Amino acid sequence: MRDHTRFLPIAVELSMALTLITAGAVLGAETTLTATLAGGAAEDPPGDPDGAGTATITIDPDTLEVCWELSTSNIADASASHIHTGAAGANGGVAVALDVDGFSGSSTGCTTGPDAATLQAIIDNPAGYYVNVHNADFGPGAIRGQLGALAPNTAMSQGSNPVGPLSLAGWFLLLVGLTASLRAVRTRG
């Protein structure tokens, strides 16, 4: 009977390497989140009763870049917009400042986020954060909306190079591990 246990080290090395290769393509990937913005009771204190809008937020924790596309309707000109911490119905502090110069109707732009950990926390739990648009009539917020992941899966890299540092480590582990395992098999065989 043939002893197949000598191939066990190869199988272990291969599974570890493939895990790291896959993780490198997902962790730290650029992620797009969305929010439907509403006023009235969605804000506390209540915001603009007929205000509405949308927000698309793209976060790249590797570059610390946060980009936004905001669209508002039925509110006075916006004075600022932010991503705040807080679940639905709860107010929280500013996590990321978006358009702080003010706008009328729509705004697009990019900024550098506070730090990778905060940006990753937003990606990991978007429902724990909301986009808030402020104006002179409603200083605490005219409209707001909870962030959510863009369906079906935005955790995959949208950049041109999905190979991150972990996937490079995975390839290195694969090459080194397989070389060592094959030498061990040849020596035993």
Side-chain angles (χ1 to χ4, degrees):
M1 181 171 229
R2 197 167 190 177
D3 180 18
H4 293 288
T5 59
R6 64 185 181 165
F7 293 105
L8 185 60
I10 294 173
V12 170
E13 292 289 336
L14 183 60
S15 69
M16 288 174 48
L18 290 176
T19 299
L20 285 174
I21 290 167
T22 304
V26 174
L27 295 176
E30 184 179 277
T31 301
T32 300
L33 306 171
T34 62
T36 300
L37 309 177
E43 287 281 4
D44 183 23
D48 193 318
D50 62 346
T54 60
T56 302
I57 308 294
T58 304
I59 300 173
D60 188 338
D62 290 336
T63 63
L64 302 181
E65 185 174 69
V66 178
C67 296
W68 68 87
E69 293 179 26
L70 302 174
S71 176
T72 63
S73 61
N74 301 323
I75 66 169
D77 289 351
S79 56
S81 58
H82 309 100
I83 297 174
H84 290 258
T85 59
N91 292 333
V94 173
V96 180
L98 301 175
D99 188 325
V100 295
D101 297 324
F103 62 93
S104 178
S106 66
S107 172
T108 59
C110 294
T111 188
T112 301
D115 58 74
T118 299
L119 298 182
Q120 192 62 52
I122 296 170
I123 291 169
D124 292 344
N125 181 26
Y129 296 84
Y130 62 96
V131 173
N132 203 5
V133 178
H134 309 268
N135 64 21
D137 296 338
F138 298 93
I143 54 176
R144 80 177 258 175
Q146 294 304 125
L147 286 171
L150 186 63
N153 179 8
T154 60
M156 296 308 289
S157 174
Q158 297 173 3
S160 60
N161 183 8
V163 179
L166 287 179
S167 61
L168 293 176
W171 284 111
F172 180 74
L173 178 63
L174 178 65
L175 291 174
V176 170
L178 286 177
T179 301
S181 297
L182 287 173
R183 284 186 184 151
V185 168
R186 284 186 190 146
T187 304
R188 286 189 230 158

